[in-house]
Amino acid sequence: MKEMYQSLGVSAGVYEFGEEILRDLRPRFDAIDQVAEYNQAKVLQAMQKNKISAACFAATTGYGYDDVGRERLEQVYADTFHTEAALVRPQITCGTHALAVALSANLLPGDELLSPAGGPYDTLEEVIGIRESPCSLKEYGVSYRQVDLLPDGSFDYETIRTAIHEKTKLVTIQRSKGYATRPSFSVRQIGELIAFCKSIKPDVLVMVDNCYGEFVEPIEPSDVGADMIVGSLIKNPGGGLAPIGGYICGTKHCVERCAYRLSAPGLGQEVGANLGLLPQLYQGFFLAPTVVAGALKGAIFAANLYERLGFRVIPNGTESRHDIIQAVELGSPEAMLAFCQGIQAAAPVDSFVTPVPWAMPGYDAEVVMAAGAFVQGSSIELSADGPIRPPYAVYFQGGLTLSLIHI
Ligand SMILES: *Cc1c(COP(=O)(O)O)cnc(C)c1O
C-alpha cells in the first residue's frame, strides 16, 4: 500500500501519519455508519412505498406531461424528509437557484424576510439585495432584516423577539456555516429556533437552507417544524451521481407556490421534462446516505490531521458534526492555493490542472476552487474551495469512496 501511495506522490511518512490519525477515529466512524444505516432505511422504505420500477426511469421531453418517474421521485423525497410535497427538478440549476425560487415564491411586495442566525450564504446576498442585483427581492419590495449570532455563536433570542413584527413573512435559517467560521447548527438547535419564532408569530414561514446537511443526522429540519428545506443535488442528496438539480421539500402550500415560480403561474408542477436524468437522480439519492457518511469521515480525518499539524480547524477534531464541511484556517492566500492544488492533484479528473482564484458569479471576493470532479463544481465529490479573504480558510468537503474503503 505504501508503494502504491508513493507512486501517487504521497510519501511513506505522510501515509503513516494519516494511518495513525485514522486508527484513533474508528469509534467515531462506527457512529457515522449507524446514522447512515438508519438514513439508508428511510430512503429504501420511501422507494418501496412508491413502487419504483423501470418505468420510472424513462426519459420525457418537451412539456413533460404525465411524467410518472418525476412525480414518484418527488414523492420519494417527500416521504424520506417527511414533508407533504417536494419539487425535485433538473430545471433547478443549483442550490442558489432553489433558494431563490423558494424565497421569491413565498414573499410578496411589502413582506419582510428575517435571517435570525447571522448573514446568509454569499450568493444569497444578491438574491436578497444585500448586495445590489437586478431582480433581487429588494427590487420587488421585499425588505430584509438580520439578527447576528451572539459572540459565543448562540442565537440572540431577545433581539429576534423584537425583530419579528407584522410584516415578517418568512424566516430563513442556514444549517451549514457556508463560507463563515461559525459553527454549523444541529437539527435540534434549528428546531428550537423555529419553535421560538413560531411562538412569537405562529403563521410565520420558516425555510431552512439545508445545503450540505442532508443525511448527516437521523432527522432533518423538516422533522422539527421547517415549512421548507432546500438544497442542491450536486451536494449530498445527489449522491455524486446527479449531474444537475435542486430540491425544495415542504408543505403543499409552499411547494406549490415554488412550482408556479419555477415554471409559470397556471403550469406549476405539471410541466418539466426529465430529459433522461431520472436514473441518476434516483440512484444518487439511494447512495446518498452512504456517500455522506464517507464525506463525514473524510472531514473528521482532515480535521484531526490539520489540528495535529497546528492549524485551527472548524469544527475541531472532536466536535459533533452537523454538515460535511471542514474549514481549515491556513492564514495566507499562498497556503490556500497550495492546499487546493494538492486536492486537485489527487482527483480522478483534471488532476493535471492548477486551480487559480477567479471572480465567480455571486461572490464578492475571488474564489479558489479545487474540484477534479465528474460533475462540474460538484462538491459532494472531493473538493476544496474558499474566498480569498481573511482568515484565509479553505472549506474541504466530499469524496465518494472513503466509505467503501474504510469499512
Ligand atoms: C452551496 C451552498 C448554497 C448554494 O450554492 P450553489 O453553488 O448555488 O449550489 C447555498 N447555501 C449553502 C449553505 C451552501 O453550502
Side-chain angles (χ1 to χ4, degrees), residues 94-97 99 121 123 174 176 178 209 211-212 232 235 363:
C94 61
T96 305
H97 186 198
L99 290 157
Y121 188 74
T123 57
Q174 184 180 306
S176 172
D209 176 349
C211 281
Y212 288 131
S232 163
K235 294 179 178 172
Y363 296 83

Side-chain angles (χ1 to χ4, degrees), residues 136-189:
S136 68
L137 291 170
K138 185 179 168 195
E139 214 185 61
Y140 284 94
V142 174
S143 57
Y144 171 72
R145 191 178 290 246
Q146 177 177 316
V147 177
D148 288 329
L149 296 170
L150 291 169
D152 68 355
S154 63
F155 304 130
D156 183 352
Y157 283 114
E158 277 326 298
T159 311
I160 294 169
R161 184 192 302 282
T162 62
I164 296 177
H165 53 92
E166 71 281 359
K167 280 174 61 184
T168 312
K169 175 71 176 298
L170 196 150
V171 171
T172 179
I173 303 169
Q174 184 180 306
R175 181 169 173 184
S176 172
K177 66 176 89 56
Y179 286 144
T181 45
R182 68 153 167 93
S184 294
F185 304 130
S186 69
V187 174
R188 192 183 53 79
Q189 282 175 300

Side-chain angles (χ1 to χ4, degrees), residues 343-378:
I343 295 293
Q344 187 76 35
V349 179
D350 290 335
S351 61
F352 51 90
V353 307
T354 306
V356 290
W358 67 298
M360 240 174 102
Y363 296 83
D364 71 346
E366 284 202 316
V367 175
V368 60
M369 206 167 254
F374 294 95
V375 172
Q376 187 194 83
S378 165

Side-chain angles (χ1 to χ4, degrees), residues 143-297:
S143 57
Y144 171 72
R145 191 178 290 246
Q146 177 177 316
V147 177
D148 288 329
L149 296 170
L150 291 169
D152 68 355
S154 63
F155 304 130
D156 183 352
Y157 283 114
E158 277 326 298
T159 311
I160 294 169
R161 184 192 302 282
T162 62
I164 296 177
H165 53 92
E166 71 281 359
K167 280 174 61 184
T168 312
K169 175 71 176 298
L170 196 150
V171 171
T172 179
I173 303 169
Q174 184 180 306
R175 181 169 173 184
S176 172
K177 66 176 89 56
Y179 286 144
T181 45
R182 68 153 167 93
S184 294
F185 304 130
S186 69
V187 174
R188 192 183 53 79
Q189 282 175 300
I190 290 171
E192 285 165 8
L193 182 54
I194 294 173
F196 181 79
C197 292
K198 295 210 174 201
S199 76
I200 293 162
K201 190 168 188 192
D203 62 347
V204 79
L205 299 173
V206 178
M207 179 191 85
V208 175
D209 176 349
N210 209 26
C211 281
Y212 288 131
E214 299 90 353
F215 297 126
V216 171
E217 299 185 43
I219 54 169
E220 301 290 336
S222 43
D223 291 309
V224 294
D227 297 277
M228 287 185 283
I229 59 172
V230 182
S232 163
L233 300 198
I234 64 168
K235 294 179 178 172
N236 303 16
L241 292 186
I244 190 169
Y247 77 87
I248 301 167
C249 295
T251 63
K252 193 162 174 290
H253 174 80
C254 287
V255 171
E256 254 173 26
R257 292 193 65 91
C258 294
Y260 288 128
R261 182 81 293 156
L262 179 67
S263 57
L267 304 183
Q269 225 155 341
E270 305 286 321
V271 297
N274 71 56
L275 302 173
L277 298 174
L278 289 180
Q280 289 132 289
L281 300 199
Y282 274 110
Q283 197 174 359
F285 196 58
F286 182 66
L287 293 179
T290 309
V291 169
V292 168
L296 269 176
K297 291 173 188 175

